[in-house]
């Protein structure tokens, strides 16, 4: 059941991210280079795929999906493997967040997104994963407890 919760979280995040990208249609920071802008013709001459993709910067899909996955995994680790107070355990739960931060930062340094695109994508992923996980955590816990209970398997 835990994998279904993660799948729902990823699907909802991806769906909302793509809807916002089409609705907002904010150009990327490297818009002119990405769409193949020709100064003589004063128009984009690149492929249609690049011309369309150059206009869908907000929110960052990489940031939303990476933070969605990272927060869900951190919540899962925290909820089901409780070693409170030990520094290595705190660091283990924070590793997925560090990876998501790295992925998101590279989108800014590669000039594919504005900083606000990445922040919005991160907030979207964090919000959706937190909402879905907390709404389904009791069902996930009961399913995991049943699957590991030796008396139920007799």
């Amino acid at each position: 059941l835990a994998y279904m919760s993660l799948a729902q979280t990823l699907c909802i995040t991806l769906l909302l991210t793509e809807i916002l990208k089409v609705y907002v249609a904010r150009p990327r920071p490297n818009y002119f280079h990405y769409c193949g802008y020709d100064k003589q013709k004063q128009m984009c001459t690149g492929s249609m795929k690049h011309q369309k993709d150059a206009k869908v910067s907000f929110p960052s899909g990489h940031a939303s999906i990476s933070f969605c996955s990272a927060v869900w995994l951190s919540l899962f680790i925290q909820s089901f493997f409780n070693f409170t107070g030990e520094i290595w355990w705190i660091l283990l739960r924070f590793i997925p967040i560090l990876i998501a931060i790295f992925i998101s930062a590279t989108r800014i340094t590669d000039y594919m997104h504005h900083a606000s695109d990445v922040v919005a994508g991160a907030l979207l992923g964090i919000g959706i994963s937190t909402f879905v996980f907390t709404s389904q955590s009791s069902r996930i816990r009961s399913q995991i407890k049943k699957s590991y209970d030796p008396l139920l398997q007799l």
Side-chain angles (χ1 to χ4, degrees):
L1 192 59
Y3 65 90
M4 290 296 289
S5 174
L6 177 60
Q8 287 176 339
T9 304
L10 290 170
C11 288
I12 293 168
T13 302
L14 186 61
L15 179 68
L16 287 177
T17 300
E18 292 302 317
I19 288 171
L20 283 170
K21 280 180 173 286
V22 172
Y23 182 73
V24 175
R26 181 180 187 185
R28 296 186 182 276
N30 63 353
Y31 174 78
F32 292 110
H33 176 73
Y34 200 73
C35 77
Y37 188 77
D38 187 357
K39 291 180 184 178
Q40 303 295 337
K41 297 178 184 178
Q42 294 187 345
M43 61 183 285
C44 290
T45 58
S47 67
M48 285 305 291
K49 179 185 181 302
H50 282 134
Q51 289 182 34
K52 288 180 182 179
D53 194 45
K55 297 177 187 173
V56 288
S57 181
F58 182 88
S60 170
H62 283 79
S64 64
I65 293 296
S66 63
F67 270 97
C68 169
S69 303
V71 169
W72 191 93
L73 184 59
S74 294
L75 289 171
F76 182 80
I77 291 170
Q78 177 185 355
S79 182
F80 296 104
F81 307 104
N82 195 6
F83 294 101
T84 56
E86 297 179 27
I87 190 69
W88 67 271
W89 192 248
I90 294 169
L91 292 174
L92 180 66
R93 290 189 313 217
F94 197 63
I95 287 173
I97 304 296
L98 289 175
I99 294 170
I101 290 170
F102 175 76
I103 291 169
S104 299
T106 60
R107 302 307 289 170
I108 297 170
T109 59
D110 291 345
Y111 300 107
M112 293 302 286
H113 290 286
H114 302 278
S116 58
D117 302 338
V118 171
V119 170
L123 291 175
L124 182 68
I126 290 168
I128 292 171
S129 63
T130 303
F131 175 74
V132 172
F133 187 86
T134 54
S135 67
Q136 297 182 355
S137 63
S138 61
R139 290 186 352 185
I140 296 170
R141 277 192 201 108
S142 66
Q143 186 70 21
I144 288 177
K145 188 176 179 181
K146 286 179 186 177
S147 65
Y148 292 128
D149 191 354
L151 295 176
L152 290 175
Q153 295 183 9
L154 292 176

